Amino acid sequence: GENVEQHPSTLSVQEGDSAVIKCTYSDSASNYFPWYKQELGKGPQLIIDIRSNVGEKKDQRIAVTLNKTAKHFSLHITETQPEDSAVYFCAAGITGFQKLVFGTGTRLLVSP
Amino acid sequence: EADIYQTPRYLVIGTGKKITLECSQTMGHDKMYWYQQDPGMELHLIHYSYGVNSTEKGDLSSESTVSRIRTEHFPLTLESARPSHTSQYLCASTQGSNQPQHFGDGTRLSIL
């Protein structure tokens, strides 16, 4: 079955710096890759997703890149702010299987 | 904003009690999921449903059971709670494959 690895497990940056979180997946049939942000005491919230027919997607300060050949995808956050501090999860899904496989999470801390 | 609700948000209860965690969504989604998550850690799929009268066990073995009698409602039951059941339980729903899962804010369960 699918396996998703996520790195790093923790990431500390200064406000205004960029943050990059990387995930690799094992099943070449995976074609949907969402990213979730989970704040303390809340459920994960979708922040951006990408499908396998595109290589990059941006939404303001957040971008995701996908390399299907290497089977990895990354989340990029620019101009980080303290409110970006949270746990971030990547996931991979396959059309028709209705399930997502999640990475192990990255705890991002943005210091003022 | 997704409309998926979980109750109770917190529950502290003694060993041996029967517990039902409620999950409801108003989006008409056919597919619903239950995840178990220790705080800030990875999500483990324990149950899912593709529609009314459909339930399946997830990747992580769980002593809990679920039912899906109505589209909008997907309760999880523990017949006899034990301290090992202490965790956070997250419910999610989706419109279909290649679509994001929307999460509730979870139930934090503590068994004494």
Side-chain angles (χ1 to χ4, degrees):
Chain A
E2 175 65 279
N3 183 52
V4 177
E5 294 189 359
Q6 183 172 347
H7 299 280
S9 57
T10 59
L11 179 59
S12 293
V13 300
Q14 291 293 122
E15 182 176 1
D17 288 350
S18 294
V20 180
I21 303 170
K22 298 182 179 181
C23 289
T24 60
Y25 60 99
S26 60
D27 193 334
S28 57
S30 289
N31 54 11
Y32 174 61
F33 307 94
W35 285 89
Y36 288 85
K37 174 184 180 182
Q38 186 175 26
E39 297 175 321
L40 198 62
K42 298 248 176 121
Q45 297 294 311
L46 179 78
I47 55 172
I48 195 167
D49 57 6
I50 191 169
R51 291 171 175 79
S52 59
N53 57 341
V54 298
E56 184 176 1
K57 184 175 177 181
K58 281 185 179 180
D59 183 2
Q60 298 182 355
R61 296 186 297 110
I62 293 172
V64 58
T65 58
L66 171 65
N67 183 326
K68 286 166 52 181
T69 303
K71 294 205 281 286
H72 66 70
F73 56 113
S74 300
L75 177 71
H76 304 253
I77 306 174
T78 59
E79 300 172 27
T80 54
Q81 301 165 3
E83 50 265 39
D84 293 329
S85 296
V87 180
Y88 291 80
F89 291 95
C90 63
I94 304 174
T95 300
F97 279 82
Q98 317 292 354
K99 291 192 290 180
L100 293 175
V101 177
F102 285 83
T104 50
T106 295
R107 186 175 299 277
L108 173 65
L109 177 60
V110 181
S111 302
Chain B
E1 190 70 29
D3 295 318
I4 181 163
Y5 307 100
Q6 292 186 244
T7 57
R9 289 294 318 277
Y10 304 93
L11 180 61
V12 181
I13 200 164
T15 299
K17 301 291 186 183
K18 180 178 179 178
I19 300 166
T20 296
L21 308 185
E22 302 288 350
C23 176
S24 294
Q25 51 95 3
T26 58
M27 297 169 282
H29 290 169
D30 284 330
K31 294 150 188 73
M32 297 187 73
Y33 308 82
W34 276 103
Y35 294 87
Q36 186 173 339
Q37 182 191 35
D38 290 326
M41 304 294 284
E42 62 187 297
L43 288 77
H44 297 284
L45 181 67
I46 52 175
H47 298 284
Y48 60 100
S49 167
Y50 289 163
V52 172
N53 295 326
S54 150
T55 60
E56 303 285 346
K57 289 193 178 295
D59 305 319
L60 178 70
S61 175
S62 174
E63 294 169 347
S64 59
T65 59
V66 292
S67 62
R68 190 88 184 277
I69 298 172
R70 302 198 317 264
T71 298
E72 63 271 22
H73 195 213
F74 191 39
L76 180 145
T77 298
L78 280 163
E79 289 293 332
S80 180
R82 294 209 299 266
S84 61
H85 298 142
T86 294
S87 189
Q88 174 162 257
Y89 293 83
L90 290 162
C91 180
S93 72
T94 184
Q95 193 171 3
S97 63
N98 276 19
Q99 298 296 324
Q101 291 185 12
H102 301 280
F103 284 83
D105 282 335
T107 294
R108 185 157 291 180
L109 179 64
S110 293
I111 310 299
L112 304 177

